[in-house]
Amino acid sequence: MNSPNLAVWTRELTRRFGPFTAVDRVNLAVKKGEIFGFLGPNGAGKTTLIRMLCGLLLPSEGEARVNGLDVYRQSEAIKQQIGYMSQRFSLYEDLTVEENIEFYGGIYGLSREKITAKRETLLQQLDLQRYRRLLTRNLPLGFKQRLALGCAMLHEPPILFLDEPTSGVDPRARRSFWEYIQELARQGKTVFVTTHFMDEAEYCNRVAIMNLGRVIALDSPLKLKESYRKSTMQGVFVEILHRTTPDLFASQEDRS
Amino acid sequence: MNAIEVRDLKKRFGHIEALRGMNFQVREGELYGLIGPDGAGKTTLMRIICTLVMPDAGEVRVKGLDVRQQRTKIRSLLGYMPQRFSLYPDLTVEQNLHFFAELFQVPEAERRARLEMLYHFSRLGPFKNRPAANLSGGMKQKLALSCALIHTPQVLVLDEPTFGVDPVSRQEFWEILHSVQKEGTTILVSTAYMDEADECDRVGLCFQGRIVAEDTPANLKRRFSYPLYRVRGSNLFRLQEFFRSIPTVHSIQMFGDVLHVSFTRQPRAADWQAWQTQTGGGLQEWKTEAPSIEDVFLEVLEEEK
Ligand SMILES: Nc1ncnc2c1ncn2[C@@H]1O[C@H](COP(=O)(O)OP(=O)(O)OP(=O)(O)O)[C@@H](O)[C@H]1O
Ligand SMILES: [Mg+2]
């Protein structure tokens, strides 16, 4: 069950905040090199789950391993194995773009030369050259997302947790972003990603759909569309929500 | 008179030219959508309209009032939701909403109906007593939106209001926007979701500090003049590579589980059959496709490059 080729493994993973259960008995097995997508309405528990897997938040119950490491006891070791791009920016707003890269390089303990080299490739790759001396506060949103991703990957971790990396990103940049994700997966990296763009679910090997803290569907996009008899992931998403939160649509009908 | 009037607007920040002679107008009562790549100048434009940033050159009027001279007047008739709206993290959902209702002096009778509609959209009703700090990202965004929509300003400016909002709530949010528009409010909204542009009366595509295309969604789509096909296959990445080698192909874009392929010359049935053979059956399905705003967006960006 805990085979070494699993990047993420959880059993009945649960997180409560007081009486409220944000993540409810989640079971996952994500293979190395997989692009694993996470969908769900606002408040479903996606970010809470990711934060537990990154060793940033202790579970209330259940088990979880990331690259074989236990989230309760080995959270420091986990941090070396993962890159985490949080939904709200982890960048320092009052540092410039290049200072942010240098700062994160320092945190991950990279050498001076390594940081300089990485900085230049990143600025190039992310098309951030002309913004390098701009305060991050003044950086357009889409570029902030790119920078945040770049910083999360400085130490070349084998597993990436990306929480809504493409929110607010324009259609062209989203495409190049996903090409990059595909490239990372080809290199053997595991990518765990959340999104509210339903077309992006198609670029994942498997997709989990979460609602009210529970994973209620998990399969490849193709299989999901087949089993819910929908032609798009948008259709699958709405259908699943409908089935698991019936009052959602009932109340909408009331109003009209 | 237009509700918003922008002429030859210029603004630079250090060595970055955010706006380079922008011209655009939003008509009275219109719902106008701004789209464009990251860094195109949408936020700067909105901030100038809302009198938060001074223009370097050009003229900007809101309901006939000058953003340079009549800031207080403009602010009193305008509602603005910035990209990152600050809620009061220690206040609960309900307290935040009441705080903004007070601030905008929303009459008691109106307040109740508004709140009900906004709670319905946001689904935050069960979390009324939760501090804003403990909401999920999208829930915070929905609360911020609700706070911005609690009053009925004459002009409403929303900068990427649906950032991080889930697909079902986005749809309901647009229903609310339409009903706000019916009350007579002029709305300027920016978005990274191209399906949302379809909901607007007119759409402006912003690129490098200028509006490079502007029209109703239907007319904008007509700008896409190449024959367009929706293509399916067993391996889209390989199929994409294959079409790159076909000389009559104009553009290829991935849209989830299909490719959009456009041509400089209408392909014939025989061409498709040949391609099917050449891909060893990898090409499985092709159909003409009506261009979407997203197709136009990607095309215009390609042309401007
Ligand atoms: N510190 C906290 N205290 C109380 N409740 C919390 C706390 N953190 C999160 N929650 C609640 O847990 C639930 C799940 O939140 P989470 O951020 O995981 O959702 P999400 O799926 O990431 O949503 P989104 O799509 O909006 O980002 C929400 O109801 C949220 O309000
Ligand atoms: Mg989240």
Side-chain angles (χ1 to χ4, degrees):
Chain A
M1 76 178 170
N2 230 327
S3 72
N5 56 357
L6 286 183
V8 174
W9 174 84
T10 74
R11 220 196 84 230
E12 302 287 295
L13 190 62
T14 300
R15 172 69 205 206
R16 283 184 285 271
F17 295 103
F20 178 77
T21 308
V23 172
D24 192 7
R25 290 165 286 151
V26 165
N27 298 302
L28 290 177
V30 179
K31 287 191 287 286
K32 287 186 177 158
E34 204 173 355
I35 302 179
F36 193 87
F38 241 83
L39 309 180
N42 298 129
K46 305 179 294 293
T47 299
T48 308
L49 177 68
I50 287 185
R51 291 176 56 83
M52 286 192 278
L53 296 176
C54 290
L56 297 167
L57 184 70
L58 273 179
S60 307
E61 254 173 63
E63 294 175 57
R65 288 179 172 271
V66 175
N67 242 9
L69 300 165
D70 182 279
V71 294
Y72 291 95
R73 288 185 304 271
Q74 296 169 293
S75 62
E76 283 315 308
I78 287 177
K79 282 171 198 157
Q80 295 302 315
Q81 299 289 310
I82 60 152
Y84 170 50
M85 179 178 165
S86 77
Q87 183 174 4
R88 296 294 143 126
F89 307 106
S90 41
L91 300 169
Y92 289 86
E93 297 268 305
D94 49 0
L95 295 185
T96 65
V97 168
E98 52 183 15
E99 284 167 349
N100 257 301
I101 299 177
E102 288 158 14
F103 178 80
Y104 274 94
I107 286 193
Y108 293 127
L110 305 187
S111 71
R112 198 64 245 161
E113 299 75 58
K114 181 98 187 168
I115 292 177
T116 311
K118 271 266 159 193
R119 185 187 66 206
E120 293 313 306
T121 17
L122 268 184
L123 290 172
Q124 183 82 42
Q125 266 177 359
L126 304 172
D127 196 17
L128 278 166
Q129 293 279 24
R130 69 191 163 122
Y131 291 121
R132 60 189 302 157
R133 297 213 170 77
L134 194 70
L135 283 186
T136 304
R137 179 184 310 122
N138 300 327
L139 198 62
L141 191 75
F143 286 98
K144 259 189 213 172
Q145 302 278 57
R146 293 181 208 184
L147 179 60
L149 174 69
C151 289
M153 299 199 29
L154 277 171
H155 55 311
E156 301 177 12
I159 305 179
L160 283 167
F161 290 96
L162 310 177
D163 200 359
E164 292 187 33
T166 56
S167 281
V169 174
D170 75 66
R172 185 176 58 177
R174 283 204 297 129
R175 283 176 172 74
S176 59
F177 186 88
W178 274 97
E179 272 165 31
Y180 185 53
I181 300 286
Q182 304 281 356
E183 176 55 35
L184 292 173
R186 272 194 291 274
Q187 293 167 14
K189 295 201 191 293
T190 309
V191 183
F192 201 101
V193 56
T194 69
T195 181
H196 290 299
F197 286 94
M198 293 301 115
D199 58 338
E200 293 182 354
E202 298 283 356
Y203 307 141
C204 303
N205 300 112
R206 285 192 302 156
V207 173
I209 301 182
M210 217 176 169
N211 192 17
L212 305 170
R214 304 225 56 178
V215 169
I216 47 192
L218 198 170
D219 218 326
S220 69
L222 189 67
K223 291 258 175 57
L224 283 172
K225 285 183 287 183
E226 274 169 13
S227 47
Y228 288 89
R229 300 219 181 88
K230 297 286 169 191
S231 59
T232 60
M233 283 304 291
Q234 167 92 16
V236 172
F237 183 85
V238 173
E239 174 68 21
I240 287 183
L241 244 65
H242 193 147
R243 287 192 196 175
T244 49
T245 349
D247 65 308
L248 190 79
F249 293 87
S251 56
Q252 191 178 338
E253 278 145 29
D254 287 345
R255 191 170 48 129
S256 50
Chain B
M1 186 184 70
N2 287 314
I4 301 173
E5 199 56 73
V6 173
R7 297 217 178 279
D8 296 323
L9 178 60
K10 294 195 178 118
K11 179 74 196 176
R12 66 158 62 235
F13 298 101
H15 67 287
I16 293 171
E17 269 186 279
L19 299 173
R20 324 179 176 204
M22 176 168 277
N23 287 288
F24 100 121
Q25 292 79 40
V26 179
R27 295 171 195 147
E28 199 67 56
E30 190 171 39
L31 172 50
Y32 189 104
L34 272 179
I35 57 176
D38 305 326
K42 304 180 294 283
T43 296
T44 306
L45 170 68
M46 289 182 155
R47 298 188 53 144
I48 291 175
I49 290 170
C50 297
T51 75
L52 298 169
V53 173
M54 275 292 196
D56 292 342
E59 197 187 326
V60 180
R61 286 181 181 275
V62 179
K63 295 268 178 181
L65 304 164
D66 189 316
V67 291
R68 285 199 183 80
Q69 263 108 56
Q70 294 160 294
R71 300 165 72 148
T72 333
K73 269 201 186 137
I74 292 180
R75 287 181 188 186
S76 72
L77 53 83
L78 185 133
Y80 173 51
M81 183 180 146
Q83 233 163 26
R84 252 169 317 142
F85 187 91
S86 356
L87 294 160
Y88 292 87
D90 307 333
L91 296 188
T92 64
V93 167
E94 188 167 34
Q95 287 166 340
N96 264 293
L97 284 164
H98 283 291
F99 176 85
F100 283 96
E102 286 298 323
L103 184 72
F104 297 129
Q105 298 169 7
V106 182
E108 198 59 50
E110 212 175 290
R111 199 181 289 193
R112 189 123 31 83
R114 270 277 154 138
L115 280 176
E116 198 181 315
M117 173 180 85
L118 293 170
Y119 271 129
H120 179 90
F121 139 73
S122 66
R123 302 190 203 299
L124 289 173
F127 309 108
K128 267 190 185 133
N129 299 317
R130 190 174 285 182
N134 292 347
L135 297 175
S136 79
M139 288 160 88
K140 275 187 198 141
Q141 184 74 11
K142 289 197 267 188
L143 176 57
L145 263 176
S146 302
C147 291
L149 293 173
I150 197 134
H151 68 138
T152 318
Q154 294 184 42
V155 178
L156 185 58
V157 178
L158 304 167
D159 197 358
E160 297 207 18
T162 54
F163 181 98
V165 174
D166 68 60
V168 175
S169 301
R170 279 204 300 125
Q171 216 166 345
E172 290 173 19
F173 163 72
W174 278 90
E175 284 169 27
I176 294 188
L177 265 202
H178 286 301
S179 75
V180 170
Q181 184 191 16
K182 280 206 195 86
E183 292 175 51
T185 299
T186 303
I187 305 171
L188 175 64
V189 55
S190 67
T191 182
Y193 287 95
M194 296 301 109
D195 57 345
E196 295 184 353
D198 265 304
E199 300 275 338
C200 300
D201 298 323
R202 281 193 307 150
V203 176
L205 202 165
C206 193
F207 184 73
Q208 295 188 345
R210 290 193 191 92
I211 298 280
V212 294
E214 176 189 65
D215 218 321
T216 61
N219 285 340
L220 264 188
K221 290 177 201 166
R222 278 188 207 112
R223 286 175 63 111
F224 194 96
S225 52
Y226 302 93
L228 181 68
Y229 283 79
R230 156 200 283 263
V231 174
R232 278 180 201 279
S234 48
N235 182 328
L236 284 193
F237 295 101
R238 228 173 283 153
L239 215 49
Q240 192 172 22
E241 280 310 307
F242 173 77
F243 278 108
R244 281 201 182 118
S245 70
I246 305 295
T248 56
V249 165
H250 170 70
S251 65
I252 313 162
Q253 298 290 353
M254 207 167 285
F255 277 73
D257 63 341
V258 298
L259 291 181
H260 282 194
V261 185
S262 74
F263 297 86
T264 49
R265 175 157 59 71
Q266 182 76 44
R268 283 167 301 206
D271 294 326
W272 287 107
Q273 268 138 29
W275 294 335
Q276 201 169 25
T277 318
Q278 284 161 30
T279 55
L283 167 63
Q284 292 168 338
E285 200 188 305
W286 56 92
K287 253 200 266 171
T288 54
E289 173 80 349
S292 63
I293 297 280
E294 192 152 337
D295 288 298
V296 177
F297 180 104
L298 295 164
E299 176 65 24
V300 172
L301 254 57
E302 205 53 42
E303 285 167 9
E304 298 283 336
K305 212 161 63 180

